[in-house]
Amino acid sequence: MNLIYDKIKQHQKGGNIILSNHLLVLQSDFGLVDGAVAAMVGVALQEEPTLKIHNLTHDITPYNIFEASYRLFQTVEYWPEGTTFVSVVDPGVGSKRKSVVALTENNQFIVTPDNGTLTYIKTHVGIKAVREISEVKNRRKNTEYSYTFHGRDVYAYTGAKLASGHISFEEVGPELPVEAVLELPVVETEILENAVRGAVDILDVRFGSLWTSIKREEFYTLSPEFGDRFEVTIFNNDMLVYQNQVTYGKSFADVRIGQPIIYINSLYRVGLAINQGSFAKAYNVGVGSNWRIEIKKLGVSL
């Protein structure tokens, strides 16, 4: 590992940024039912057989760019400096949307379409610089007439070149303004005197818990204590989907099996779960900016 960081310092002194720890992490909405992911892995290993390739997830809901952005935010801080991430959720593949590499404030690379995937990274991690991928130099040979698999031909290929140190960040392509990175709209928490309002951003998919946009410190403006009960209301647009009193606890076991609970999740956001059950399935709750949640102190009128 010391050799890796020595190499980083040497290249930064020379004016180029090379962060080559040989770790490549892949994310997509491709699933594993066909050969798409295996093709990406193969392309990367053709570029550098010693790469260590890992999967973040390939079960992003098809075309859901917001979900891809969130899963990156959920994961990147737990990987070492110099790790390269490739995220391909790309409903605009083959269009004029740009292909980019972002250098984060934590010195990691994210290779992705500039379609909103970098939203949460830009806001919560920080981006130092962005470069557009030059397909003249950083696209697999003899693929210029293929317009629908940039994950293989551009992103996995460029990601492998970066992760292996075969190219520097500067060799990716021309620099773009960080402020020009495309961002998706996000719901800002509304803090009232006796309530907070936000959105259901995403699910803890396997267990069906709701992860909201409301941060721990925003929820704590209500001065909650473990064991307190709050009125939780969920709307899908203007339609009332759920309203009930829910206990605030440290973890799921603080309530009986089958009972709902408010908790703070691993990202320090407010979560809503059912102990040993799926809240999302029980109440048919979805995710996105149209799914709004209000958490209100009991006994207080707004």
Side-chain angles (χ1 to χ4, degrees), residues 254-301:
D254 284 354
V255 296
R256 290 175 296 174
I257 292 174
Q259 294 297 306
I261 186 169
I262 299 168
Y263 68 104
I264 302 299
N265 70 17
S266 58
L267 298 177
Y268 283 1
R269 266 60 175 179
V270 173
L272 190 61
I274 291 176
N275 185 14
Q276 297 188 35
S278 169
F279 197 104
K281 288 183 179 178
Y283 298 104
N284 294 313
V285 177
V287 301
S289 60
N290 57 306
W291 286 89
R292 299 301 179 104
I293 183 169
E294 176 185 276
I295 303 173
K296 175 184 171 185
K297 267 190 168 182
L298 284 175
V300 178
S301 298

Side-chain angles (χ1 to χ4, degrees), residues 27-302:
Q27 170 176 275
S28 76
D29 58 354
F30 296 161
L32 296 174
V33 295
D34 62 16
V37 173
M40 291 173 64
V41 172
V43 164
L45 292 176
Q46 281 184 341
E47 177 64 26
E48 179 48 66
T50 66
L51 287 177
K52 295 178 180 178
I53 301 176
H54 303 269
N55 296 312
L56 193 161
T57 180
H58 295 290
D59 286 326
I60 297 293
T61 303
Y63 319 119
N64 194 323
I65 299 166
F66 182 90
E67 187 177 335
S69 179
Y70 201 101
R71 295 305 180 201
L72 283 171
F73 159 62
Q74 180 185 350
T75 306
V76 295
E77 71 171 293
Y78 305 107
W79 285 82
E81 180 181 18
T83 301
T84 299
F85 295 84
V86 171
S87 180
V88 190
V89 177
D90 193 15
V93 62
S95 69
K96 292 182 179 180
R97 62 92 187 95
K98 292 180 171 64
S99 299
V100 300
V101 178
L103 173 63
T104 75
E105 290 289 347
N106 295 333
N107 291 325
Q108 297 167 326
F109 292 127
I110 300 177
V111 185
T112 188
D114 181 27
N115 59 6
T117 298
L118 293 170
T119 298
Y120 267 80
I121 295 297
K122 183 178 177 182
T123 301
H124 298 291
V125 178
I127 296 174
K128 289 182 179 180
V130 179
R131 289 185 175 271
E132 183 175 3
I133 298 173
S134 168
E135 294 192 18
V136 174
K137 296 180 179 178
N138 295 310
R139 182 180 180 128
R140 291 179 64 240
K141 292 181 180 179
N142 301 319
T143 65
E144 61 271 17
Y145 298 113
S146 173
Y147 304 104
T148 59
F149 201 176
H150 287 181
R152 176 195 66 194
D153 299 331
V154 179
Y155 301 132
Y157 182 63
T158 301
K161 293 172 81 171
L162 281 166
S164 61
H166 292 176
I167 61 170
S168 68
F169 181 53
E170 287 76 9
E171 292 173 303
V172 166
E175 188 167 8
L176 301 173
V178 172
E179 57 271 19
V181 167
L182 182 64
E183 295 182 73
L184 300 173
V186 296
V187 174
E188 298 293 335
T189 301
E190 185 179 357
I191 300 176
L192 307 175
E193 184 178 355
N194 298 299
V196 290
R197 295 171 178 164
V200 181
D201 273 346
I202 207 160
L203 300 183
D204 183 359
V205 178
R206 184 168 178 82
F207 300 103
S209 304
L210 313 184
W211 285 10
T212 78
S213 61
I214 302 168
K215 299 176 183 177
R216 178 182 180 273
E217 57 267 27
E218 294 167 340
F219 175 58
Y220 267 54
T221 62
L222 303 181
S223 302
E225 300 286 344
F226 293 125
D228 286 353
R229 294 175 67 77
F230 294 82
E231 183 180 84
V232 175
T233 306
I234 299 174
F235 291 92
N236 180 13
N237 292 315
D238 294 327
M239 183 176 68
L240 178 65
V241 175
Y242 176 86
Q243 188 171 57
N244 204 352
Q245 295 181 14
V246 182
T247 300
Y248 170 53
K250 288 183 180 179
S251 64
F252 314 111
D254 284 354
V255 296
R256 290 175 296 174
I257 292 174
Q259 294 297 306
I261 186 169
I262 299 168
Y263 68 104
I264 302 299
N265 70 17
S266 58
L267 298 177
Y268 283 1
R269 266 60 175 179
V270 173
L272 190 61
I274 291 176
N275 185 14
Q276 297 188 35
S278 169
F279 197 104
K281 288 183 179 178
Y283 298 104
N284 294 313
V285 177
V287 301
S289 60
N290 57 306
W291 286 89
R292 299 301 179 104
I293 183 169
E294 176 185 276
I295 303 173
K296 175 184 171 185
K297 267 190 168 182
L298 284 175
V300 178
S301 298
L302 291 181

